[in-house]
Amino acid sequence: ILPSFMQCRKSKDKDLTALRHWVDVQEAEVKSGAMAKRRDRLKKLQNLGLPWKLTWEQDWDHYVVELLKFRSKYGHLNVGLASSPSGNNAHSDLSEFTTQLLERLKKNSTVKLTKEEMRDLGFKGLLGDLNRMAQCPLGRPSTNGNQGMGILRLVPLERVKEVNYWAGMLEQLKFYQAQTGKLTFPPHRGGDPSTREGNNDFAHLRDWVEVQRANFQNKTLEESRIKELRNLGLEFDPWHVMFNRLRKYKREAGTVRLPKDYKSNVSVDKSHDQEKEDEELTVLCKWVQDQIRLYRKDELETERKKKLRKLGVKLTKGHMGKVPWEDRFEEMMDYYHAHKTCLPKRDGPLRQWIIELVNLIQNGYVSNRRQKLIDQERIGPYLRPEVIFGSDSPSMPSSSSEGNKKRKAAVLAQPSDDNSGDDAKKVKIEVMAV
């Protein structure tokens, strides 16, 4: 007959030395968490009467996965409702974990879940269901167990699984939006999957959103689900997706008067995020040109025309080509009034125009008429390099002789309303200086 655990520990019998050592090794594996990978062994040790348990943190990953499996099988998270044929709870360990989990989710609980644990539950789509359960007495639904099982029997199990899967993915989407502040995902990239910079973390969510959009286009997406997704801010129509991206770009860059092809400053080293912004701007330029093309062919819907014009997109042929100086100046003033700075935080046509304007002002290459407009708006002090750039001043355009010639030519070409003697005298002096 084998001695009990306490007898083995207290005994000084040399014949039990090896057994005592083995027991110590098992205990050390439990305390270190290594036994979490061999739960079958832990169960056997516990059945022998050894009072060892894994900590909450060591149990976490295992039981969260078990909860996901349980919901996939039964269509809900009420572990107490699932019984074996003999009437005993077949998930006693999971039930105990879930009870502790619900207790920690309650507002008046002394022991709370950590931020990492909340994030994990949210990303896996479990947090919403568990919060609703925690608000009910004893963490259970308001209906009794028999009624709950009756409902499950009335609804086909496959439908229950599908509904819960959809609800879980919606919870993940909400959590993703809360974490990132957006509902767009990194694009698919080729090459080695291990170098895709975390794209795989959201691949399943991105694919699920695309399925919802496809179902919407095929008119197979339920109205209740359309409402849920729209309340979250998800757009189904690709046109509206691009329009919202253009609207966001205007908030950050101050303009929607975009060129046909955007060319960024390749001489400046850019971060990965800045390169992504340049890629997005290239896509937006092409999309705006597509809308103009549709307008010319009279194929652009009236409602879309109104939205584009209200945003500031110029659709008529008379607005094609280079944007007038006065129009850019007006865009700069609008951005200043909205953000209390002249320089947009995102690169683009307006930002580049303002950087060039600052350089022209510093070198005295602005005509009297335009300088008068700047003075009228009292914006001059805010266009000084030390004010507009601060400590992050970019390299100003070169004032070499070649650059000077181009800028002086631009001054000569500027239309003038007054043809004043001062203007003519200034231009003459500048040309002589060349």
Side-chain angles (χ1 to χ4, degrees), residues 31 61 81 133 260 273 286 290 293 316 338 390 412-413:
K31 288 182 178 179
D61 288 337
L81 295 179
M133 291 171 64
K260 291 182 179 180
D273 289 341
K286 183 180 182 302
D290 289 342
R293 218 169 281 118
T316 58
L412 286 168

Side-chain angles (χ1 to χ4, degrees), residues 214-369:
N215 290 342
F216 176 82
Q217 296 295 331
N218 298 331
K219 299 184 178 179
T220 58
L221 189 62
E222 298 172 19
E223 285 296 327
S224 59
R225 296 182 176 183
I226 295 173
K227 185 177 180 181
E228 286 273 8
L229 292 168
R230 277 186 169 155
N231 287 342
L232 200 60
L234 186 70
E235 286 289 352
F236 294 99
D237 186 346
W239 190 92
H240 284 96
V241 173
M242 292 301 298
F243 179 79
N244 286 335
R245 288 172 65 181
L246 184 64
R247 183 163 53 185
K248 179 175 179 287
Y249 175 79
K250 183 178 181 180
R251 286 199 303 269
E252 298 174 350
T255 184
V256 288
R257 302 284 294 274
L258 305 178
K260 291 182 179 180
D261 296 307
Y262 171 71
K263 295 180 181 179
S264 63
N265 190 347
V266 294
S267 64
V268 178
D269 292 333
K270 296 193 174 184
S271 66
H272 176 68
D273 289 341
Q274 289 172 324
E275 289 178 355
K276 285 174 64 178
E277 287 181 353
D278 284 352
E279 291 176 8
E280 182 187 29
L281 181 52
T282 301
V283 172
L284 286 175
C285 288
K286 183 180 182 302
W287 185 78
V288 169
Q289 292 302 314
D290 289 342
Q291 306 313 301
I292 294 172
R293 218 169 281 118
L294 290 172
Y295 173 81
R296 289 182 179 180
K297 295 178 180 179
D298 199 23
E299 296 176 1
L300 190 62
E301 297 174 14
T302 304
E303 190 62 31
R304 293 182 177 182
K305 290 179 193 175
K306 291 180 181 178
K307 287 187 174 184
L308 289 168
R309 282 173 171 155
K310 187 176 180 180
L311 191 62
V313 178
K314 305 296 183 181
L315 298 169
T316 58
K317 189 175 181 180
H319 291 94
M320 297 299 101
K322 187 175 180 181
V323 178
W325 189 94
E326 288 74 15
D327 288 3
R328 286 292 187 213
F329 184 81
E330 185 179 349
E331 288 179 340
M332 180 188 72
M333 292 305 304
D334 289 341
Y335 189 87
Y336 171 78
H337 290 308
H339 302 277
K340 304 307 177 186
T341 179
C342 292
L343 191 67
K345 62 179 182 179
R346 274 195 69 169
D347 195 13
L350 181 59
R351 182 184 172 93
Q352 293 180 2
W353 181 88
I354 292 171
I355 291 174
E356 180 68 15
L357 175 63
V358 172
N359 188 54
L360 291 172
I361 293 173
Q362 287 299 109
N363 290 281
Y365 298 151
V366 178
S367 70
N368 285 356
R369 181 174 61 84

Side-chain angles (χ1 to χ4, degrees), residues 39-67:
R39 290 179 176 272
D40 55 331
R41 292 184 179 181
L42 179 60
K43 196 69 176 176
K44 289 177 180 178
L45 291 170
Q46 290 172 338
N47 290 339
L48 286 175
L50 301 180
W52 297 336
K53 292 182 69 176
L54 294 169
T55 64
W56 173 264
E57 291 76 18
Q58 292 166 348
D59 266 336
W60 178 264
D61 288 337
H62 170 75
Y63 282 117
V64 168
V65 171
E66 290 300 308
L67 272 177

